[in-house]
Each structure stands twice: as structure tokens, then as C-alpha cells.
Amino acid sequence: MSHFGDRLIEEGRRKRTALVVGLDPDLRFIPEAIRQGADPETGEGAEEAIFAFNRVVIDAVAEHVVAVKPQLAYYEIYGASGITALERTIRYARSKGLLVLNDAKRGDIGPTSAAYARAFLGDGPIAGDMVTVNPFLGSDGYMPFIETAEAAGKGVFVLLKTSNPSSGELQDLKLDGGGMLYMKLAEELERLAARSIGLHGYSCVGAVVGGTYPEEARAIRTALKSAIFLVPGYGAQGGSADSLRPFFDARGEGAIVSSSRAILYAYRNVGEHWSSLSEAEISRAIGEEASRAKDAINAVRGLRSQ
Amino acid sequence: MSHFGDRLIEEGRRKRTALVVGLDPDLRFIPEAIRQGADPETGEGAEEAIFAFNRVVIDAVAEHVVAVKPQLAYYEIYGASGITALERTIRYARSKGLLVLNDAKRGDIGPTSAAYARAFLGDGPIAGDMVTVNPFLGSDGYMPFIETAEAAGKGVFVLLKTSNPSSGELQDLKLDGGGMLYMKLAEELERLAARSIGLHGYSCVGAVVGGTYPEEARAIRTALKSAIFLVPGYGAQGGSADSLRPFFDARGEGAIVSSSRAILYAYRNVGEHWSSLSEAEISRAIGEEASRAKDAINAVRGLRSQ
């Protein structure tokens, strides 16, 4: 079994990309050619429409991304129909050779976290290759994910400094004795990440560090050298390519950058007639935006477009 | 539309109970009479087995509880089959007049939290009456749940001091300027809870405070008067009935106490032959344990057994 940190770095080298595309299917924004009458309110037809959209997205972005990142909320809305669409999406992405990162942000008491770890990193129907984890419950809450990942050759990204505007309310709290909460978490994560460093210098334990907070990323990197960063917030959330520099190491590695809405719904830039675009037009808009995002990120990493 | 805080208090008065039973179905612990050959490893037959077990549990505990609390992890393990079992469980619990509290501990960036809020507090297939929420992302992450609950007449329980042994690693951090992190969160929650207080003095915004931390509960209650506490950790996690006193107000109200494994798997106390018990024996053991837990909690609340 290959080491997951190595596997992720090598996949990025092979495909010459650090981009991850989020799969956040929102029926309201899916053109009729793909939606086929599915109803955003009742969920009637949701399974087929979500899977059809994700298949178009996966086909359009596959050559540009290191992984796809389903966001669980958008599937849970429709209950078992949504989760069936997720199962089909994961199988389809894997059939295209893509890694799958479930953006679930789970975290619970020990036995429950072990059950979540099995759901997302085991071999069941919604398991992928990586999962995001919330550290609010302390080590009981995240260790079952890390231990499962280590044993299964998979990856975990622990939330450290999230991309949203209010992330500082809790994560930036100044602690007695000095330092911010996220830096304390970073130091703790380094201890855990360092248990399993691969040939390329990175662990199977990664960290979520928002692309909207480059200064914080610089500080976190000084304490947390062994973790690959998952960097959300690029694109629709306002993070720019230039601000991504501090997230990467000197080789231009050590981070994967996630974009969801800016790529998924790129075709909405054409104006109000987006809902009547053909599948080919939708696919082209998504593929071109993914290619642009990949190139912009590669330029910051010091890689030229090919 | 009645106020959710009032609805929960009145339901507890009507049924004379503060008990919530967690629905954490684990196929390994379900007797063969109910499991009917379902395979804990492959998930073959999981949907039927989980629903059959939950139906036995719901029938056995219905008169003793104010709500049932499905723990999402135990359903997600089996993907769409597990979520179908959850949908059927929620419908069945409601048909028996029970409130449903989804123990999901979700929390994400704003638009994603709004999607989760819709999934769990809307009118879709896995929506219930209440949901647990993780505050790590700050107000962007929890406000969509609170706003959805306020608009829909439903309830939210925000994690404040969780029941697990390592909860203090993050939640008890001492802040610059004094005080613990959970107390700061308690003050912030009071501000939000106070926006929507019902006739009985409680808000639709509640807090999760572990039954294993009575001293912390006492401190939290001084800052957070308007929130109903959801108190996990009673039973298998080691919380005793006597230690529950600080969670309740002077009337013996303002908290609901959750127990999962100690009640669900009460029949395993008979020894190794538990797996061959009949459905009637299983049901009786679960019902008796729920009744005992209800009475023990009522005694602490100052209510006599009837």
C-alpha cells in the first residue's frame, strides 16, 4: 500500500495540477438540458439530475484536477435519493481515475467518529480517499479518522483556519499565555502528522487553511510543515491566485486548492439565458474555467502552462 | 405556529419525562431475531435490519421519552441504504407522536450550512424537529441553522461542552483576558437565544452540555439562562443521575437528557446468549431500561415516579 501523502503529491505531479473541484450540485443552478425537469423544492428527479450534472462536470474537469470534492450537504438535502446520487458520483469519479475527497467536516465522540471514519474512509458506498474533519471535540473526535486513514492508506484534512468571514470568531481567539487558537491546533497537528511522513515530506494528515487568509497560512506553515494544506475559498469566496503563494512549499507543492461554484456554474456568466444552454456549451464553459484556474494556480507555483 | 422552546417544555410536562433515547443502530449488537442475517461488514440487509431494530426501540421507549435522537454516523456507514432506514425511522417516530432530534453536529461555511439546515430542519426526507450544530466556523456556520429554526418553529442545539473525555482540549482553553472558551461561547449563545424566548422562559436555541461535566454545567448555566440543554453522556458514557442536578432549573426543567447505548443494548446484560433473545425479550429489556432512566432523572428533577 502506498503512502497517502506520496500518492497525492505524485498524482499532482503526474497531472501537473493542484486544483480540486468541489461537487456542490444545486438544482436551482443546473440548466434544463441536464436537470430534465427535476424540482429543486420537492426533490422530484433529484437523483438523476445531480448525477447527470456531476458526470458532465467530472468529464469536463478530469484532466485538470487532482481530485473532486463532493460537499455532503448538497446530497443530504434529498435524503436517500441524494446519497444515491453521491454513491454514483463517487463510482463514476473513480472510474475516471480521480481521487475523491468527501467534504463532510465530521467530528463527534470517539465511537461515533469511528463510525464516520468507516463511512468516509472505509470501503462502503460513500467512502472516498480523503475526508475533512472538525476538531472541536478534541483528540477523541479526530484520532479515529487519523488512525483509520493511516491503516487504510487514505487522507484526512483537519479544519484549522476556515475560509469563511467569521472563521476568526473562534479560530483566532487569543489564548492565555499568548498565541492564537489555530496556531495551537497547528502545533498539535504537526505532532500527529509527523508520525507518518512519506518520501516527499508530507503526511496523510492534512489541514484545511482558507485561501482567503494568506497571512495566517504563512504563520501556520512555520508550525505545521508535514501537512498538505487543503485550500478552499479560491474563486467564488474571493481568494485570488496571487494570494496562494504562502500555501505552497519552495517546490510549489504541499497544497491542493479547491474551487466549487466559480467552476461548476461558470456557464452562468453568459447572462440570463444560461438555463437554456446545451450540454456541450455547459461542458465547455466548465472545462475552460477549470483549465484557467489550474493555470493561474500553476503560475503561482512557478509552473508554466503547457 | 407554536414556539419551539415552549413545544419542547410542554411535551416534557405532558409525558412527564426529560429523557431522549439515541438511535445509534450498530448491526453487530442487534440480535438475530431482528437482524435477520444482515451483514455488519458488507451492509447486506442493513436497511431492513436497522429499521426493524429502530421500530422495536421506538415502540418500547415511546411512552418514556420526549424525543428520539438518530446519530447520523450509524446510517451514513451504509450509504443510501442507511439513509433510507433513517427516512423510515423518522417517519415511524413521527407517526408515534415523537419529536426527532438529528444528532448531526454539522457546521460549515454559510451557503453550505444553509443547505444542511434545509436538510435537517426543512421538510425533506431526513428533516426532523431539532439538530445539533458545531460552532467551530463561527457565526457564519451556525446562524443559518438558527435562522432556519426560528422561521420553521424548530430547534437547534449548539455544541458548547461535549461529553467526551478530550472535550477540554479545545473547549476548555483559557483565553487571554480570562475565562474558558466554552464560557465565551455560552455568552454569545445567550445573546442569540434571548432573541426568541417562549412563554416558559426558553429559546429555540439550545446548547449541548455533557452530562459528564456537572461543574462546567453550573458555570454555563449562570451565563446561558435561555437555552435548553441537551445533555448527552448519561448511561454508557459514565454520567450518573445525581450529577444531573445542575443541568435543570428550579422547576426541574430546561434540560433533556440523552442516553443511547445503555438503553438500546440493555438486553446484552443477560450475558452471551443475548444474540438469540426473542423480539419480545429485547423489547422488554429496552423498555424497562428506558423507564428506569426516566424515573432516575425525574427523581433528580424532584418529580416522583407515577
Side-chain angles (χ1 to χ4, degrees):
Chain A
M1 188 177 67
S2 69
H3 179 279
F4 189 78
D6 287 343
R7 201 169 137 213
L8 190 56
I9 295 284
E10 286 163 18
E11 185 69 0
R13 286 180 187 173
R14 184 177 74 76
K15 298 180 79 173
R16 221 178 143 80
T17 182
L19 181 66
V20 171
V21 168
L23 299 176
D24 304 13
D26 187 326
L27 289 183
R28 294 170 303 172
F29 304 146
I30 298 180
E32 187 48 39
I34 295 171
R35 193 158 52 86
Q36 300 277 354
D39 184 332
E41 293 311 314
T42 65
E44 181 85 36
E47 180 197 326
E48 283 306 322
I50 290 174
F51 178 64
F53 181 66
N54 284 349
R55 192 171 46 190
V56 169
V57 174
I58 289 168
D59 288 341
V61 306
E63 64 177 300
H64 306 298
V65 301
V66 66
V68 287
K69 180 175 79 65
Q71 167 49 260
L72 270 284
Y74 292 92
Y75 303 86
E76 289 189 339
I77 284 180
Y78 300 113
S81 305
I83 300 299
T84 302
L86 176 65
E87 293 182 0
R88 295 172 67 187
T89 298
I90 291 172
R91 280 199 301 272
Y92 188 73
R94 292 185 140 182
S95 78
K96 297 288 167 179
L98 294 174
L99 294 171
V100 174
L101 197 180
N102 276 309
D103 196 356
K105 298 188 175 66
R106 301 297 194 257
D108 213 297
I109 65 168
T112 305
S113 275
Y116 276 130
R118 184 175 159 201
F120 291 110
L121 301 173
D123 47 20
I126 62 168
D129 304 287
M130 305 164 258
V131 68
T132 53
V133 169
N134 185 314
F136 188 74
L137 281 86
S139 53
D140 294 346
Y142 54 76
M143 287 310 297
F145 290 97
I146 291 176
E147 287 162 3
T148 302
E150 286 172 349
K154 297 193 170 182
V156 169
F157 292 92
V158 180
L159 304 186
L160 210 59
K161 173 64 187 168
T162 56
S163 60
N164 56 313
S166 76
S167 71
E169 291 173 9
L170 191 143
Q171 297 158 29
D172 295 3
L173 283 173
K174 273 187 76 176
L175 303 181
D176 185 40
M180 305 262 210
L181 187 148
Y182 66 79
M183 287 300 294
K184 187 179 163 66
L185 267 177
E187 288 159 15
E188 173 63 16
L189 265 194
E190 174 64 22
R191 204 177 58 76
L192 294 165
R195 305 199 314 188
S196 60
I197 297 179
L199 297 171
H200 304 308
Y202 289 103
S203 171
C204 65
V205 180
V208 175
V209 184
T212 42
Y213 296 106
E215 288 311 312
E216 289 83 346
R218 208 181 300 273
I220 290 170
R221 190 50 102 187
T222 61
L224 179 52
K225 297 191 188 309
S226 313
I228 295 175
F229 287 174
L230 166 63
V231 186
Y234 180 70
Q237 288 183 57
S240 70
D242 281 347
S243 63
L244 291 175
R245 189 70 205 89
F247 295 84
F248 291 101
D249 64 22
R251 295 190 313 249
E253 295 183 329
I256 55 176
V257 177
S258 148
S259 176
S260 302
R261 286 165 282 167
I263 292 174
L264 291 183
Y265 305 120
Y267 50 82
R268 297 183 72 211
N269 294 336
V270 301
E272 288 199 356
H273 71 284
W274 66 263
S275 66
S276 56
L277 293 175
S278 71
E279 188 174 311
E281 291 167 318
I282 297 159
S283 169
R284 188 162 50 241
I286 293 171
E288 286 174 1
E289 187 59 31
S291 174
R292 260 194 298 276
K294 174 185 72 175
D295 289 345
I297 295 163
N298 280 347
V300 168
R301 297 166 65 205
L303 304 181
R304 283 213 207 101
S305 301
Q306 287 185 310
Chain B
M1 188 175 68
S2 69
H3 180 280
F4 188 78
D6 287 342
R7 201 168 135 216
L8 190 56
I9 296 284
E10 285 163 19
E11 184 69 1
R13 286 180 188 173
R14 185 178 73 77
K15 297 179 79 174
R16 222 181 143 76
T17 181
L19 180 66
V20 171
V21 168
L23 299 176
D24 305 14
D26 187 326
L27 290 183
R28 293 171 303 173
F29 304 145
I30 298 179
E32 188 49 38
I34 296 172
R35 191 157 53 85
Q36 300 277 354
D39 184 333
E41 293 312 314
T42 65
E44 181 87 35
E47 180 197 326
E48 282 306 323
I50 290 174
F51 178 63
F53 180 65
N54 284 349
R55 192 170 47 190
V56 169
V57 173
I58 288 168
D59 287 342
V61 307
E63 64 176 302
H64 306 298
V65 301
V66 65
V68 288
K69 181 175 78 66
Q71 166 49 260
L72 269 285
Y74 293 92
Y75 303 86
E76 289 189 340
I77 285 181
Y78 300 112
S81 306
I83 300 299
T84 303
L86 176 65
E87 292 182 2
R88 296 172 67 186
T89 298
I90 291 172
R91 280 200 301 273
Y92 189 73
R94 292 183 140 183
S95 78
K96 297 289 166 178
L98 294 174
L99 294 170
V100 173
L101 197 179
N102 275 307
D103 196 357
K105 298 188 176 66
R106 301 298 194 256
D108 212 296
I109 65 169
T112 305
S113 275
Y116 277 130
R118 185 174 160 204
F120 291 110
L121 300 175
D123 47 19
I126 62 168
D129 304 286
M130 306 164 259
V131 68
T132 53
V133 169
N134 184 314
F136 187 75
L137 281 87
S139 53
D140 293 346
Y142 54 77
M143 286 310 296
F145 290 97
I146 291 176
E147 286 161 3
T148 302
E150 285 172 350
K154 297 192 170 183
V156 169
F157 292 91
V158 180
L159 305 185
L160 209 60
K161 174 63 187 169
T162 55
S163 60
N164 56 315
S166 76
S167 72
E169 290 174 10
L170 191 144
Q171 298 158 28
D172 294 3
L173 283 173
K174 273 187 77 174
L175 303 181
D176 184 40
M180 305 264 209
L181 188 147
Y182 67 78
M183 287 301 292
K184 186 179 165 64
L185 267 176
E187 288 159 16
E188 173 62 17
L189 266 193
E190 175 62 23
R191 204 178 57 76
L192 295 165
R195 307 200 311 188
S196 59
I197 297 180
L199 297 171
H200 304 308
Y202 289 103
S203 171
C204 65
V205 180
V208 175
V209 184
T212 41
Y213 295 106
E215 287 311 312
E216 289 83 347
R218 207 181 301 271
I220 290 169
R221 191 47 104 187
T222 61
L224 180 52
K225 298 193 187 306
S226 312
I228 296 174
F229 288 174
L230 166 63
V231 186
Y234 179 71
Q237 289 183 57
S240 70
D242 282 345
S243 62
L244 291 174
R245 190 70 206 86
F247 295 83
F248 291 100
D249 64 21
R251 296 191 310 252
E253 294 183 330
I256 55 177
V257 177
S258 147
S259 176
S260 303
R261 287 165 282 167
I263 292 174
L264 292 183
Y265 305 119
Y267 50 82
R268 296 182 73 213
N269 294 335
V270 300
E272 289 197 356
H273 71 285
W274 66 264
S275 66
S276 56
L277 293 176
S278 71
E279 189 175 309
E281 290 167 319
I282 296 159
S283 169
R284 187 162 51 240
I286 294 171
E288 285 174 0
E289 187 59 31
S291 174
R292 259 194 299 274
K294 174 185 72 173
D295 289 344
I297 296 163
N298 280 347
V300 168
R301 297 166 66 206
L303 305 181
R304 282 215 206 101
S305 302
Q306 286 184 307

